[in-house]
Amino acid sequence: MTTPIRILLVDDHKTMLWGLEKLIDGGGADLQLVGTASNNDTALQQAAALKPDLIVLDLDLEGRSSIEILPRLLQDNPGVKVMILSGNRDQGLLTQAVKLGARGVVSKEAAADVVLNSIRAVQRGETALDPALMNALLGQFSAPAQADPEAARIASLTPKERKIVALVVEGNGAPNKALASRLFIAEPTLRNNLTTIYQKLGVANRLELYVYATKHGLQAV
């Protein structure tokens, strides 16, 4: 029997929290709600006490931004994954959340099945990005048409690295194991290649690489 995904919900709106609780409880045997929190301090305490697999995190908590605690949630709870579920569409905040380690960004307006499937995808190590929010993230990688400062970074990629980037985009969140199989290389080798690519392009993770590659036309080789 598969161990259920242990989920901590963090939201300061009681009605929204109640709805999310019902959604998780009725979402299937593979999902288990272990706790809730409504502010930054309680979120840190509950995460430490309950050791969830995944935290569904609202960006706005009782007048404070949960961006403040995102690094601590990830640092203090090794292995935990964070998915942002928010009505906030501030481009800067969304991009900052991704840079700080959030594996998914989903709108509160998303359908119930989208939220549940995004939770499952993030837990599998994939990325989950609400299509409605993609443009907001893409906008953060805009460059003046007359001079693309990223040209040198992109030019530093080897043909093999370009192929890996293209597969990351094409795979749209496929796990590393599947990508490695398509490239006929070992998964650890792929991880090493991705680390090099991240350094060359100045991105932090696969979700940010996906956004960067889409913006700069690296989805084809």
Side-chain angles (χ1 to χ4, degrees):
M1 182 177 178
T2 304
T3 303
I5 305 168
R6 303 177 71 256
I7 302 167
L8 171 64
L9 297 175
V10 183
D11 198 297
D12 65 341
H13 292 93
K14 291 184 179 180
T15 302
M16 186 69 188
L17 199 55
W18 178 85
L20 288 172
E21 290 176 14
K22 298 300 180 185
L23 181 63
I24 299 299
D25 287 340
D30 62 329
L31 304 175
Q32 178 186 0
L33 177 64
V34 296
T36 64
S38 60
N39 57 54
N40 286 354
D41 295 335
T42 307
L44 290 170
Q45 294 167 4
Q46 291 288 72
L50 300 172
K51 303 297 182 186
D53 300 311
L54 186 144
I55 301 172
V56 177
L57 184 67
D58 187 12
L59 280 181
D60 304 300
L61 298 174
E62 296 183 353
R64 294 174 61 187
S65 173
S66 62
I67 290 291
E68 299 175 15
I69 62 167
L70 182 51
R72 278 194 60 189
L73 285 173
L74 295 171
Q75 181 179 344
D76 296 349
N77 304 280
V80 75
K81 297 178 177 66
V82 174
M83 185 183 90
I84 302 298
L85 181 66
S86 180
N88 193 315
R89 291 179 177 272
D90 183 279
Q91 295 182 9
L93 277 178
L94 296 175
T95 303
Q96 188 177 3
V98 172
K99 287 180 179 291
L100 291 175
R103 298 298 298 271
V105 179
V106 179
S107 170
K108 282 187 175 180
E109 298 174 4
D113 61 330
V114 171
V115 175
L116 293 176
N117 288 333
S118 295
I119 288 172
R120 295 183 176 104
V122 168
Q123 180 59 25
R124 288 194 301 267
E126 302 170 18
T127 55
L129 188 62
D130 190 316
L133 300 178
M134 174 59 87
N135 287 338
L137 287 174
L138 287 176
Q140 293 301 300
F141 293 95
S142 296
Q146 65 272 22
D148 184 358
E150 302 302 322
R153 287 183 174 183
I154 294 171
S156 72
L157 295 175
T158 66
K160 180 182 178 181
E161 289 167 346
R162 284 290 296 265
K163 184 175 182 180
I164 291 173
V165 173
L167 277 179
V168 167
V169 177
E170 182 184 337
N172 193 24
N176 283 348
K177 184 176 181 180
L179 294 181
S181 177
R182 291 187 61 181
L183 290 163
F184 302 104
I185 60 176
E187 191 174 349
T189 302
L190 174 62
R191 286 198 297 267
N192 290 338
N193 287 329
L194 283 172
T195 297
T196 300
I197 291 169
Y198 296 160
Q199 292 172 347
K200 286 185 176 182
L201 298 181
V203 298
N205 50 47
R206 274 187 52 180
L207 179 52
E208 198 170 324
L209 175 61
Y210 179 93
V211 174
Y212 182 100
T214 303
K215 176 64 182 177
H216 293 283
L218 300 181
Q219 60 268 42
V221 292

